[in-house]
Amino acid sequence: MREAYHVELDQLAQKLAAMSAQVADAMEQATQALLGADLELAERVISDDAKVDEARADCEEQAYALLALQAPVATDLRTVLAAIHAAESLERMGDLALHVAKAARRRHPDPVLPEQVRPYFSEMGKIAVRLARQAEQVIRTKDVEAARSLETDDDQVDDIHRHLFTVIMDRDWPHGVAAAVDITLLGRFYERYADHAVSVARRVVFVVTGKMPGYGTDDI
């Protein structure tokens, strides 16, 4: 019975890892759609978001069944609880990629971003996708040091996000209010996406060590 239970825990972890890969693909495609004004790619991200929602529901259903039927304790209980929280964070990452894709669709055929800020979003997109793929590997390996290393990449996204405010608040900003609003919202989407990836990694640290690392933001 216990062996079968641990097989189910492993299956749950694999589902979470697959979700992380899904949301990495979603943000990669959403960023490409944003930078390239690619309507077809944006529509693909938007339609595929339902698959992320379904994956979260599947993970939560299995996790709650394990809680109800197996009454786990100690590490096993931490694993199930962490899985529930991680599934929520991963679903939110999918939603944030969805928001980026919707911005690309809303402005099509015009580009969303002025040329001046495109390099910043290109870099944030690369880092965000890397964070999601690192989170996938952390889920699969339960590597605590790898989990903690995500913080460095997250800091880079935070730095770019803060710098964007100085760019759009410059009195010589030539692109108007609408562009400034788009940039503010999109920067926030990438910043939150990165935060949620770090939150997933922290849940793995909690599973392994029994201690939740301190948060660097107010609501990861």
Side-chain angles (χ1 to χ4, degrees):
M1 177 68 92
R2 298 302 296 175
E3 183 177 346
Y5 173 56
H6 282 100
V7 168
E8 287 200 55
L9 285 178
D10 289 340
Q11 290 173 347
L12 182 56
Q14 294 308 309
K15 289 179 181 179
L16 289 170
M19 269 191 80
S20 194
Q22 276 183 289
V23 300
D25 290 343
M27 185 54 92
E28 186 170 48
Q29 293 170 5
T31 302
Q32 291 171 3
L34 180 71
L35 296 173
D38 189 328
L39 181 60
E40 181 179 351
L41 200 52
E43 293 285 9
R44 187 186 308 167
V45 175
I46 292 165
S47 62
D48 283 350
D49 183 63
K51 297 177 183 177
V52 178
D53 296 341
E54 291 168 3
R56 175 190 177 178
D58 184 34
C59 287
E60 288 186 340
E61 181 179 356
Q62 184 175 1
Y64 287 128
L66 288 169
L67 284 175
L69 299 176
Q70 300 293 342
V73 296
T75 302
D76 291 348
L77 179 59
R78 293 201 301 270
T79 300
V80 177
L81 294 176
I84 293 170
H85 288 290
E88 179 182 5
S89 286
L90 290 165
E91 192 263 341
R92 284 294 300 138
M93 291 165 72
D95 287 344
L96 291 159
L98 172 69
H99 295 334
V100 173
K102 284 184 173 180
R105 182 177 69 176
R106 184 172 61 252
R107 297 298 186 195
H108 189 270
D110 297 324
V112 180
L113 301 172
E115 191 64 34
Q116 181 179 357
V117 299
R118 287 170 58 85
Y120 299 120
F121 282 92
S122 176
E123 184 64 17
M124 281 197 295
K126 290 176 184 176
I127 297 171
V129 172
R130 184 165 69 238
L131 281 165
R133 300 209 187 282
Q134 289 172 331
E136 176 192 354
Q137 292 307 308
V138 166
I139 293 168
R140 295 187 189 281
T141 63
K142 295 185 174 62
D143 186 331
V144 170
E145 290 307 311
R148 289 172 173 154
S149 73
L150 269 70
E151 302 274 357
T152 301
D153 278 346
D154 180 47
D155 288 343
Q156 293 178 37
V157 175
D158 291 340
D159 289 343
I160 297 171
H161 182 236
R162 283 191 293 268
H163 180 68
L164 283 171
F165 284 106
T166 69
V167 173
I168 63 177
M169 295 301 290
D170 190 296
R171 63 182 180 179
D172 294 324
W173 171 254
H175 304 291
V177 174
V181 170
D182 282 340
I183 290 164
T184 299
L185 290 173
L186 286 163
R188 179 63 170 166
F189 297 154
Y190 282 95
E191 188 257 345
R192 296 301 299 130
Y193 183 100
D195 284 347
H196 281 291
V198 172
S199 178
V200 171
R202 285 172 171 162
R203 296 293 172 183
V204 174
V205 175
F206 170 66
V207 168
V208 175
T209 67
K211 297 179 181 179
M212 180 63 74
Y215 288 121
T217 60
D218 55 0
D219 62 344
I220 289 177

